[in-house]
Amino acid sequence: MNLKTTIDDAVTKALRKAGAKGSPAVVKPAARAEFGHYQANGVMGAAKKLGMNPRELAARVIESLDLPQAASTEIAGPGFINIHLDPAYLAEELARVRRDAMLGVARPARQTIVVDYSAPNLAKEMHIGHLRTTAIGDAIVRISEFLGHNVIRVNHVGDWGAQFGRLLAYLDELDAVDTTTELKDLEKFYQHASARASADPAFAARAREYVVRLQGGDARCLALWQTFIETSINHCQAVYDKMDITLTRADLAPESSYNDKLPVLIEDLRQKGILVESDGALCVFLDEFKGKDGKPLPAIIRKSDGGYPYMATDLAAVQHRTQTLHADKALYVVGAPQTLHFQQVFAVARAAGYLDEKTDFRHLPFGNILRPDGKMFKTREGADVKLSDVADEAVTRARELVAAKNPDLSDSDKDEISRVVGIGAMKYAELSKNRTTDYIFDWNTMLSFEGNTAPYLQYAYTRIRSVFKRAGVDADSLEGDITLTHENEIALAMKLLQFPEALEAVTEDYQSNVLCGYLYELSGIFMAFYEQCPILKADDATRTSRLLLCDVAAKILKQGLGLLGISTVEQM
Ligand code: ARG
C-alpha cells in the first residue's frame, strides 16, 4: 500500500474525467506533515493546457474524485487540492502495517541485483575513503533484500596490479619471522616496499619481474602472493565485522579471478570486429568518447606490453554478471573519479552485446570525505587514515558520551551501547549526505544527540521503548483498536504510512539520504506527538491506542535504521 500512489491514481482519473489530457497529476505530500494531509498540485498545469480557470478545474476534479479513503477535500490557493484522509482509514491501515513483516511495503517484481561495493585494493589496508562505498553499498544490499530481490554482493577487490610486484619482491627478502611482524601493518609494509623500490634500482627491476612471474603463474610468486592476500583479506574482514558490514569471504570476486577469461574476451571482441590495434595496444574506439583535443578516446583492453588493464577485468566482470549470474541490474558503488571508466565499460559491453536494453547496469558515484578544515584526510605523516582506526575512535568517543549521559549503566551495557552508537553515527553521517557531493567528516556533529544523526534516532527509539517499560506492557502482545483524533496522532499515523513511499524514493537513484530524511522527520513527528498526547495518564482506550501507535513507530524506526545497517538498543 502506498498512500501517494493511491491518491495519485485517483486524482489522475478525476482529472481525465474533467477533460485533462496527457501527463498524470503530480501529487505531493503536504510539505509540512503535521498538517496531516496530502496536497494534489497537478491541476494548475492541466488547467493551463485546457485554457481553464484552475480553481474551476479543481472543483470539477473534486466532484468526480473517487477516493473513499478521503474524509474531506478542499481547494487551496490558486488551485491545489488538499486531501484529508479519513482517520478511520488511517487507523485501519496502521493496524494492518503493525502485523505486517514488510510494514506496509509492497514487494516489487523480483530481480537479480549485483551490488559491487567496498572493493579495496588489497595492497594496503582499508582507509577512511572506503567508508563511503562500504556503507552505501551495504545499505543498498539490505534495502534490496528487504524488498525481496535476489541480491548478489560482489567485492571486486584489486589483487593483481603492478603494485603487487614490489610487495612480493619485498616479501621475498624477509625471513619468515619478519614476515609475520611486518604484515601486521600493511600500511607500513607498503611504505617499506615502496621505499625499497625507489632506493634500489635492482630491487625495482626485480619487482617488475615479479609481476610478470606472478601473472605467468610462477609457483614461488603465487605462494608469496597468497600469503600476502590472505593477510590483507583478514584485515578487511575484521573491518567489516567491526562495522557490521554484511560482506563475507564468500562475496569476494577479486580481479585475479577473471584472469583466465581475459584472452577469451580479447578473442570475442576481435571476432565482433570492434577490436583495433593502436600503437601495439588492443583497443575499442567508440564515437561517443572523444578526448579534449577531439581525437577518439580508446578503451584499452590489452596494453602494448601484453598486460591487461582495469578495463579488461571490468569487461570480463560484466560478462560474468550477465551471462553467469543473470543479473537484471548491477550497481557499482565506486567514487566519482571513475565515471569515465564505467561509461566506457558499459558502452563497450553494449557494443559487444554483453549488455542489452533490459539489463540496468549503473555506476553510483560518490564524492570525497574531507576533514573539518576542508582538506583531504591524511595522517600527519601524509599516510591514509585507516578505516579500522576510525571505527575504533568512533566507539571510544561514543563511550564517553554514553557514560556521561547515563553513568549508572553497567560496563558491559556501556560497551554494547557505545559500539552501536559509535558505528551507527559513523555510518549515518555517511548515509545521510547526498551521495554525489563531498562531505565533511566531523565527530562532534555525527555524535550529537540533536539533529539528523544516528544517536538522535537511536535515542528516539529508546524513548518509545521506555514507554512500554514504564507501562509494564509487552508491545508485541498488545491488542486493541487504534483511534486517531488528535492532530498529532493523525500526523504521526500518516508519516508512518509513508514508509513505503520513502523506500520507493530511495531506490530510484539509490540515495540513502532519502530514507534518513524520512526517519528524521518521523522522529520529529513522534516527539511532537509524545509531548502533546499523554499516553500513560490517558484513559484505557486512548492509552492502548497511543501505545499501538508507539509500537508501529518503534517498528518502523528500527527497521528503517536496520536497512541502513544501523542497530538500535533498548536503553541509552
Ligand atoms: N579496486 C577499485 C579501486 O580501489 C574499485 C573496484 C570497483 N569495482 C569495479 N568493478 N571496478 O579503485
Side-chain angles (χ1 to χ4, degrees), residues 402 406 409-410 413 417 421 458-459 461-463 465-466 469 568-572:
V402 169
N406 198 345
L409 289 168
S410 73
D413 278 345
I417 297 169
V421 171
Q458 289 167 322
Y459 185 60
Y461 178 79
T462 62
R463 286 279 279 277
R465 298 293 303 154
S466 78
K469 221 191 268 167
T568 46
V569 282
E570 293 294 306
Q571 53 168 351
M572 270 168 86

Side-chain angles (χ1 to χ4, degrees), residues 128 369-377 439-446:
I128 188 168
I369 300 183
L370 304 174
R371 288 193 314 208
D373 62 6
K375 299 223 173 77
M376 292 294 278
F377 250 98
Y439 82 92
I440 292 197
F441 188 93
D442 179 46
W443 288 117
N444 295 333
T445 334
M446 77 177 79

Side-chain angles (χ1 to χ4, degrees), residues 232-470:
S232 188
I233 287 173
N234 287 338
H235 270 292
C236 293
Q237 195 57 51
V239 174
Y240 298 148
D241 294 346
K242 196 182 283 187
M243 290 182 50
D244 195 9
I245 295 296
T246 59
L247 284 167
T248 66
R249 289 186 77 113
D251 306 314
L252 285 170
E255 287 183 8
S256 63
S257 66
Y258 297 101
N259 208 38
D260 297 347
K261 306 278 173 2
L262 301 179
V264 191
L265 172 80
I266 293 289
E267 218 19 68
D268 190 59
L269 294 174
R270 199 193 305 276
Q271 264 175 31
K272 287 184 171 140
I274 53 176
L275 202 66
V276 176
E277 196 175 323
S278 171
D279 295 328
L282 297 176
C283 311
V284 176
F285 288 93
L286 295 173
D287 288 344
E288 52 213 276
F289 299 101
K290 297 232 162 44
K292 281 202 193 83
D293 49 6
K295 286 209 189 102
L297 198 69
I300 303 173
I301 319 287
R302 202 180 74 190
K303 293 189 286 185
S304 52
D305 65 4
Y308 293 101
Y310 192 45
M311 176 70 65
T313 317
D314 255 324
L315 281 170
V318 170
Q319 271 187 307
H320 180 70
R321 290 165 193 192
T322 51
Q323 293 164 10
T324 311
L325 301 177
H326 303 292
D328 299 302
K329 194 184 252 189
L331 303 168
Y332 291 70
V333 191
V334 189
Q338 297 193 26
T339 301
L340 176 62
H341 168 74
F342 285 111
Q343 281 170 352
Q344 286 191 305
V345 170
F346 300 152
V348 174
R350 243 175 275 123
Y354 306 152
L355 283 179
D356 59 24
E357 295 92 71
K358 287 199 302 293
T359 36
D360 178 9
F361 273 45
R362 285 194 226 172
H363 174 211
L364 303 178
F366 53 81
N368 293 311
I369 300 183
L370 304 174
R371 288 193 314 208
D373 62 6
K375 299 223 173 77
M376 292 294 278
F377 250 98
K378 292 281 169 193
T379 62
R380 228 173 296 133
E381 297 79 41
D384 286 327
V385 176
K386 289 182 194 173
L387 185 52
S388 173
D389 293 345
V390 178
D392 289 341
E393 184 168 351
V395 177
T396 313
R397 285 177 179 259
R399 201 171 197 290
E400 278 164 32
L401 290 177
V402 169
K405 204 172 173 68
N406 198 345
D408 300 336
L409 289 168
S410 73
D411 274 350
S412 69
D413 278 345
K414 277 185 201 150
D415 286 346
E416 168 61 8
I417 297 169
S418 41
R419 201 187 57 78
V420 167
V421 171
I423 298 297
M426 193 174 146
K427 284 187 180 177
Y428 194 85
E430 171 59 57
L431 297 168
S432 57
K433 307 296 185 308
N434 181 310
R435 174 164 51 69
T436 50
T437 48
D438 293 350
Y439 82 92
I440 292 197
F441 188 93
D442 179 46
W443 288 117
N444 295 333
T445 334
M446 77 177 79
L447 281 165
S448 166
F449 281 96
E450 265 141 60
N452 190 10
T453 65
Y456 170 74
L457 297 178
Q458 289 167 322
Y459 185 60
Y461 178 79
T462 62
R463 286 279 279 277
I464 309 179
R465 298 293 303 154
S466 78
V467 175
F468 284 96
K469 221 191 268 167
R470 277 183 283 131

Side-chain angles (χ1 to χ4, degrees), residues 526-539:
F526 176 81
M527 292 302 192
F529 154 82
Y530 187 72
E531 270 155 37
Q532 298 301 321
C533 304
I535 302 172
L536 301 183
K537 289 200 191 104
D539 63 77

